[in-house]
Amino acid sequence: MSETDASTEDRPSEGMGAAVSRDEDVPLLRGEGTYTADVSLPGTAWLGICRSEHAHARLVDVDTSEAEAMDDVLAVFTGADVEDSGVPNTIPTAWMLPGLVTPQYKILAVDKVRHEGRAVAAVVAESVHAARDAVDRIDVEYEPLEFATDPVEAVEADLPPVHDDAADNVAFDFELGDADAVDEAFADADRTASVDLRQPRLIPNAMEPRAALADWNETTGGLRLWTTSQNPHLHRMLLSAGTLGLPENRIQVIAPEVGGGFGSKIYHYPDEAITAWCSMQLGRPVKWQASRAEGYLTDCHGRDHVTSAEIALDDDGTIRGVRVETHAGLGAQLSQFATATPSYLYATILSGEYAIPAIHCRVVGAFTNTTPVDAYRGAGRAEGIYVIERLVDVAARELELDPAELRRRNQIPPGEFPYETAAAVVYDSGEYERAMDVALEHVGYEELRERQAELREEGRYLGIGLANFVESAGLSPSGVAGELGAAAGGWESSIVRFDSTGTVTVLVGTADQGQGHRTTYAQVVAEELGVSLEDVEVVEGDTDRIPQGMGTYGSRSASVGGGAIARGAREVREKAREIAAHQLEAEADDLEFADGEFRIAGAPDRSMHVQEIAAEAYLGHNLPEGMDPGLEVTNFYDPENFTFPFGTHVAVVEVDPETGEIEIERYVAVDDCGEIINPMIVEGQVHGGIAQGIGAALYEGGAYDDDGHLRTRRMDEYAVPHATMLPDFETDTTVTPSPHNPLGVKGVGESATIAAAPTVVSAVVDALEPFDVDHLDMPITPETVWRATRGGE
């Protein structure tokens, strides 16, 4: 029984806290949604992209003659053609760090290819099949070069650099924290423990592969681009300032229905720039649709960390300090937020839920001859929480303390918030021990430990793993982000407009990819303005309709986008109050507002409904003196801080050392995401997040072979867990409002992914304690277990 479930009868029917079914799902389930590939324009040509077969090679010659001679082929372009066209031809990074090396990232390779799948040439043809056939006729002569796919090898081995301006393959060398204080903590500590770990690269698997349709209008000099984007306004800006050089106000980016992203569709890739550039050359609409295999080679991967971490403690379990050194693989090119993810999003969360007085982290960002790496669900925070939770587990083993008890002894108490960590962030609010207690009680932790001991007597190996997490969500404020290197703001904008007939249109700069924004945002408006959900229309994903926006990523939509909407709605409500006061001949302060109705206090029969006031606002016949007609507000909301969701997850597994099989018996998740707008949507986010975290722990892991080729390049080679491979999830919530946004929400899109991987790894390692196993790298396959129980043979 969850706290959320317990209060079901008290929930409002439509506003904040109501478990409203997602209105947007019905057309999607019927197959009636319009995705980018579904958009059709007369005269559309198709784009095929010739991609490198090598990890690292010089381009000696690109012979396009056979492809150009084929029927239905309209044109074949190379990197030289793009350069000759005079466009800026640069995909920029969006986060600068001191000393960062920023090689030019062109939309088509010119002199070298630096990873398998790099775009070398583009074919435009009358049909998709003609385009793909012509790609096969392009003859590219390569001079293969030595390569590095591992971030440690890349900077330590004597290999040709990925980029000449980074001779040692180091893109940046980042430090955060107080190294001297950590040295002192370790010198004074009673005990230390350490762990060396790898977090393999993860490959996004959104249901909808990336796609683009570009339509250049020669007469107006305008470009329309439909694309699979989590951030249409970022795409518009980067197309303008980075790749094509068109005025921003001549570009319209439209993200229709988008079938998932998990971070991979935040970025401006070469592919949509090539699509748009080809449309500009030919004066025809051009469409590109990635195959699943093409996506594996070109969608930005996540993680790819190699880490050594140490923890210093007193004999009573008090944590004195943490020291971390990480090599982070960046891939061959710098994607937009590739530098932020392993630096500020990673190092700043290493305190976890714990009061740790001294932390120091060094991160070496390494160029490798691999697909670029960037933010993936839980970006940076998932890697950081994994490190601190693994450290706490090995420390508990060192101290012979129960891992839950060691966590409890170091959790930041509720009275310490706001809490500034030694990793340079200020947590907003939290009741960490309460969430852990709920989780442990729910799973029956003490009884499970007794059962574990009994089963071990029978030669069966039960594992109980837990992880506490806290994450930074909703990057803000913009000024701080700018000081840290961001080339974008952390704000969000909204327009809340009452139409003259009483319906409400909300335009907001976030971009839904399946999160349920239309329902969630409508609930916020219903709560603030007292209208029904049916009267609210939420619009996202079109830069011509929504003037500005920052998109959806980093669990920001509810707190920042929702905050902008709530503030806008409240301003609308206050203008409506003034109109009502004028027409009711009362003072505005004497009006009470409930269920959409303004009533005079003490005279409830004298009232006006807000939708009636909307009509008056647009008639303009009887408004307060000096008031402009209309009932519409534009709001830019820039929060004063991140929000920090948190919680505790517990997994119970049984491991068979003979076969290596791992069975997850139970999975309990207690999440605190602040105030809850829609518990059904929150639960859905938690379910999906757990699935992805379990995938990382037990199944997924991108890998390259000895020739620098992606070995996990298809869905039958990269194991995404099926529903049948997952247990039923037992979810629960606590509610600790954030003081940093108007709704008190914190965000939940990434929480469960962040928690699930360390939880499951903790459980498997706990099961294997009798075999002296204190850590296993992800993914923990049956072979991994089998070898570990035999001393790593």
Side-chain angles (χ1 to χ4, degrees), residues 249 256 434 455 459 467 509-510 531 554 664 683 697 704 725 730 736 753:
N249 59 8
R434 178 167 69 119
L455 289 178
T510 53
V531 296
I664 303 177
E683 188 171 22
Y704 285 83
M725 298 156 71
E730 302 165 52
T736 310
T753 301

Side-chain angles (χ1 to χ4, degrees), residues 102-116:
T102 56
Q104 186 178 4
Y105 188 4
K106 300 177 181 179
I107 63 176
L108 286 174
V110 174
D111 55 345
K112 290 171 68 177
V113 291
R114 295 175 169 86
H115 70 92
E116 185 188 23

Side-chain angles (χ1 to χ4, degrees), residues 135 162 196 251 332 336 435 545 664 710 737 739:
V135 164
V162 179
D196 295 326
I251 302 173
Q336 268 85 65
R545 297 192 66 185
I664 303 177
L710 184 65

Side-chain angles (χ1 to χ4, degrees), residues 602-626:
D605 56 324
R606 297 185 61 198
S607 67
M608 290 184 73
H609 196 274
V610 67
Q611 290 172 307
E612 180 187 355
I613 296 168
E616 294 292 329
Y618 286 99
L619 277 174
H621 296 170
N622 185 18
L623 300 179
E625 185 176 353

Side-chain angles (χ1 to χ4, degrees), residues 152 195-199 305-309 323-327 346 383 387:
V152 177
V195 63
D196 295 326
L197 53 87
R198 284 178 175 261
Q199 300 190 62
H305 279 205
V306 180
T307 296
S308 295
R323 181 189 287 135
V324 176
E325 181 164 325
T326 292
H327 284 72
Y346 168 65
E383 295 94 312
V387 170

Side-chain angles (χ1 to χ4, degrees), residues 266-339:
I266 298 172
Y267 321 115
H268 182 24
Y269 291 89
D271 309 306
E272 61 260 18
I274 298 168
T275 308
W277 183 86
C278 288
S279 178
M280 293 167 65
Q281 306 312 303
L282 298 174
R284 288 181 59 170
V286 175
K287 180 183 281 191
W288 170 78
Q289 169 78 61
S291 66
R292 184 64 67 177
E294 205 171 14
Y296 270 41
L297 286 173
T298 61
D299 291 4
C300 282
H301 297 173
R303 317 298 194 246
D304 201 18
H305 279 205
V306 180
T307 296
S308 295
E310 303 170 90
I311 188 168
L313 310 97
D314 288 341
D315 284 333
D316 66 0
T318 303
I319 301 174
R320 293 296 182 193
V322 165
R323 181 189 287 135
V324 176
E325 181 164 325
T326 292
H327 284 72
L330 304 173
Q333 304 285 350
L334 291 180
S335 181
Q336 268 85 65
F337 297 103
T339 53

Side-chain angles (χ1 to χ4, degrees), residues 97-101 103 150-152 154-155 162-163 166 168-175 303-306 325-331 334 338-343 346 362-368 373:
L97 295 172
L100 178 68
V101 179
D150 179 87
V152 177
V155 301
V162 179
H163 298 280
D168 54 2
N169 284 326
V170 174
F172 63 83
D173 194 335
F174 172 85
E175 291 189 62
R303 317 298 194 246
D304 201 18
H305 279 205
V306 180
E325 181 164 325
T326 292
H327 284 72
L330 304 173
L334 291 180
T339 53
T341 300
S343 58
Y346 168 65
R362 179 189 178 211
V363 181
V364 176
F367 288 116
T368 58
V373 178

Side-chain angles (χ1 to χ4, degrees), residues 204-207 230 258-265 376 513:
N205 273 281
M207 292 182 70
Q230 294 180 226
V258 177
F262 311 118
S264 69
K265 293 172 180 171
Y376 175 75
Q513 317 114 51

